[in-house]
Structure formats: C-alpha cells, structure tokens
C-alpha cells in the first residue's frame, strides 16, 4: 500500500461531513445552489527528470433538503476540468503523459446531526477521464459513512468507514477515527467545512467570517488513452498539504479564498500492473470557491 493511499478516504469522509452541515444563515426550506471554483499550482519538479504545473476549475449544482431532528439530505452534480502541464522530458513510466482531464461526479449525502449523536452516509459515482476517452470506460465509485457520539459537552468522537472502487485495481476498504472538539466559543478543531474539506482549526473572526488552517487531502482517478504497447491505462493523482483560508457566509452567497503548500504522488497503471509512479515536490497553490443559493 502506497503512503498516499489513506488520502482518498480521509478526503471523501471530510467532504461528507462538511456537505451535511448547515450554514446558520440558510433558509430552512429545500434549496438549490450553484457552486464553482478554480485553483492554480506552481511548477514543481518530479523525482525523475521533468516538472509539472497544474490548474483546474469546476462548476456544479446542488440540492439540499433539511428535515426535523437535524436530518439533512444533499445531492448534486459537479463537473471539473484540469490541465496537467508536464515539461522537461517528464514521462512517469509512459512516453507521453496525459494533459487535459475532466471529471463528472454525481453525489448524495444523508445525515442526522442531533446533539447527542451524529451520523452520515455519502455516495459518489464518478467518471474521471482524459479528453477523448469514453464516459463508460472511466466510471468508479465511492461510499463512506460514519457516526460520532457526544462524550463531553465540547467533544464528539466516532468512527468512519470508506469503500472505493479502482479503475485498475480491486475494492479498497478503510476504517479510521473521527473527532470534533469545540475548544472555545470561537475555536473548533475537526473537519474544516471549506470547499475542499480537511482536518484542522476553524476560528470565528466575526458573525459571517471564519479563518482556518488545515491538513488538506485530495484524490482523483482518470482513464487515459491507450498508448503503443499499453492498454487499459489509468492514472491516480493523490495530494496532501497544508492550507489556510477565509470563509465568508452570507444569506445567499458563500465565498472562500485559500492558499497553501501541497505535495502529490502520481501513479500510472497499464495492462493490469503499475507502469510508473513519481513523487512531485512540494509547491505553492492558490484558489477560490463560490456557492450561490437560488
């Protein structure tokens, strides 16, 4: 198991918790929201010859339904496009690494956030592919869930479980602990409810503005075009890093800006075995996200 293999479940379950939480400024009745954002990464060297620059943008729509007893149902669709700019003779085990990729995801989250006990289940069906690859050849899925119990007035502890299918591998199952600590009225330690949720500190600066610092994680899989002598080609991009940002929550609009330092590992599989992998040096990144309630 590669060192980055725990990135995927952590990122997905953090996103599940964040998706089920309510903004205190939001209406109680069901709502539709438009979401979008973009990020850019500095050029970073590979361990092998070459370097990589990256930029991406995303857009989507979400539906959220709140029910009595703190229950929440949330589902949506997201489209994302990324540009991987390999240079300096980079290969990662294949003669022509990928460049433009896209990802389409249908997601659903169900949760109950009562005072004594919280639980959530989240599902996603995702198509990750290089430009020109068919939708049906690039499907994979994720299912995650967890439960937290109130052990003190300011502390919730629990357990999460994540299951993921692989484009070129078997099913993976990962259990791990969950924690939510309200250290003070303004400071909370646990899942940071940002556009790319992580684990860290959230501090309330004012009624509508939060600042945060977090460990951020991300994971993507893409089906690639076949190459000479290589078929069934897929890549896994796993990312981890430190991030800081500001969250502004309004009556209809949420906005976020963030910056950080990230490191990633890219693996390419072909013909049912690993064709190459590389660790990319740490680099800086910046980004923003918007959510508009219709």
């Amino acid at each position: 198991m590669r060192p980055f293999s725990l990135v995927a479940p952590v990122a997905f379950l953090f996103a599940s918790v964040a998706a089920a939480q309510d903004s205190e400024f939001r209406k109680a009745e069901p709502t539709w929201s438009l979401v979008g954002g973009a990020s850019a990464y500095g050029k970073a060297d590979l361990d092998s010859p070459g370097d990589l620059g990256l930029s991406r943008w995303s857009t989507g729509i979400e539906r959220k339904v709140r029910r009595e007893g703190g229950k929440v149902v949330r589902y949506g669709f997201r489209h994302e496009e990324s540009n991987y700019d390999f240079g300096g003779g980079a290969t990662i085990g294949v003669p022509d690494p990928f460049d433009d990729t896209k990802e389409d995801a249908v997601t659903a989250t169900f949760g109950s956030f009562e005072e004594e006990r919280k639980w959530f289940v989240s599902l996603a069906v995702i198509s990750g592919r290089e430009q020109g690859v068919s939708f049906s050849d690039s499907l994979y899925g994720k299912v995650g869930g967890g439960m937290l119990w109130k052990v003190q007035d300011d502390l919730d502890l629990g357990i999460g479980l994540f299951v993921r299918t692989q484009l070129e591998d078997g099913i993976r199952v990962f259990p791990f602990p969950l924690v939510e600590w309200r250290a003070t009225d303004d400071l909370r330690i646990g899942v940071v409810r940002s556009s790319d949720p992580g684990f860290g500190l959230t501090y309330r600066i004012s009624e509508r503005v939060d600042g945060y610092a977090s460990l951020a994680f991300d994971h993507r899989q893409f089906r690639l075009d076949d190459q000479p002598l290589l078929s069934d080609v897929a890549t896994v991009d796993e990312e981890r890093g430190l991030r800081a940002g500001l969250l502004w929550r309004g009556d209809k609009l949420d906005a976020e800006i963030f910056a950080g330092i990230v490191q990633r590992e890219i693996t390419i599989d072909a013909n049912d075995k690993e064709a190459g992998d590389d660790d990319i040096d740490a680099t800086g990144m910046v980004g923003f996200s918007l959510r508009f309630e219709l």
Side-chain angles (χ1 to χ4, degrees), residues 162-202:
F162 170 84
V163 180
R164 180 187 76 221
T165 64
Q166 300 278 103
L167 287 175
E168 284 301 311
D169 205 343
I171 295 175
R172 300 281 182 89
V173 180
F174 308 84
F176 55 88
L178 297 170
V179 61
E180 192 85 1
W181 179 32
R182 296 165 293 279
T184 69
D185 290 341
D186 296 322
L187 178 64
R188 184 174 55 80
I189 298 173
V191 175
V192 173
R193 295 165 195 142
S194 66
S195 56
D196 289 318
F199 183 85
L201 308 174
T202 303

Side-chain angles (χ1 to χ4, degrees), residues 115-150:
E115 183 178 355
E116 296 297 325
R117 186 182 65 177
K118 303 174 177 65
W119 64 264
F120 62 92
V121 176
S122 194
L123 309 93
V125 178
I126 303 167
S127 169
R129 60 204 186 275
E130 190 175 13
Q131 298 283 8
V133 175
S134 70
F135 182 89
S136 60
D137 289 338
S138 57
L139 290 172
Y140 66 98
K142 301 177 182 179
V143 179
M147 185 170 290
L148 296 96
W149 292 268
K150 181 179 179 180

Side-chain angles (χ1 to χ4, degrees), residues 45 60 101 119 143 151 157 221 251 269 277 283 290:
D45 291 331
T101 63
W119 64 264
V143 179
V151 296
L157 297 176
Q221 299 182 66
D251 295 321
D269 298 318
D277 70 272
T283 187
L290 299 171

Side-chain angles (χ1 to χ4, degrees), residues 17-252:
V17 175
Q21 298 292 334
D22 277 320
S23 168
E24 61 188 283
F25 305 111
R26 289 291 183 259
K27 296 178 293 186
E29 59 266 23
T31 57
W32 288 97
S33 295
L34 298 176
V35 297
S39 56
Y41 300 72
K43 283 265 188 179
D45 291 331
L46 282 65
D47 281 352
S48 59
D51 54 43
L52 172 64
L54 173 63
S55 61
R56 61 171 46 109
W57 63 269
S58 66
T59 186
I61 187 167
E62 294 181 348
R63 173 75 163 173
K64 191 168 186 178
V65 181
R66 301 163 184 82
R67 297 172 178 169
E68 293 182 0
K71 294 179 173 60
V72 177
V73 178
R74 188 170 188 166
Y75 51 91
F77 170 80
R78 177 179 57 84
H79 175 80
E80 179 183 87
E81 299 201 8
S82 303
N83 176 255
Y84 290 82
D85 183 15
F86 288 99
T91 61
I92 315 187
V94 298
D96 185 20
F98 56 99
D99 44 27
D100 294 331
T101 63
K102 61 177 65 176
E103 183 179 88
D104 294 304
V106 177
T107 61
T109 298
F110 310 89
S112 177
F113 288 79
E114 302 173 344
E115 183 178 355
E116 296 297 325
R117 186 182 65 177
K118 303 174 177 65
W119 64 264
F120 62 92
V121 176
S122 194
L123 309 93
V125 178
I126 303 167
S127 169
R129 60 204 186 275
E130 190 175 13
Q131 298 283 8
V133 175
S134 70
F135 182 89
S136 60
D137 289 338
S138 57
L139 290 172
Y140 66 98
K142 301 177 182 179
V143 179
M147 185 170 290
L148 296 96
W149 292 268
K150 181 179 179 180
V151 296
Q152 295 181 6
D153 288 342
D154 58 358
L155 180 64
D156 298 334
L157 297 176
I159 186 73
L161 182 69
F162 170 84
V163 180
R164 180 187 76 221
T165 64
Q166 300 278 103
L167 287 175
E168 284 301 311
D169 205 343
I171 295 175
R172 300 281 182 89
V173 180
F174 308 84
F176 55 88
L178 297 170
V179 61
E180 192 85 1
W181 179 32
R182 296 165 293 279
T184 69
D185 290 341
D186 296 322
L187 178 64
R188 184 174 55 80
I189 298 173
V191 175
V192 173
R193 295 165 195 142
S194 66
S195 56
D196 289 318
F199 183 85
L201 308 174
T202 303
Y203 185 78
R204 174 170 291 191
I205 298 172
S206 68
E207 182 184 16
R208 293 182 180 267
V209 179
D210 291 343
Y212 71 84
S214 70
L215 295 170
F217 308 91
D218 222 334
H219 168 275
R220 290 169 175 81
Q221 299 182 66
F222 303 110
R223 175 69 68 190
L224 306 182
D225 278 327
D226 290 344
Q227 300 198 14
L229 305 179
L230 295 176
S231 61
D232 299 326
V233 187
T235 185
V236 177
D237 177 3
E238 294 184 287
E239 175 187 309
R240 62 183 175 186
L242 298 172
R243 182 178 296 189
L246 291 174
L247 297 161
W248 184 84
R249 306 193 187 280
D251 295 321
K252 285 187 172 293

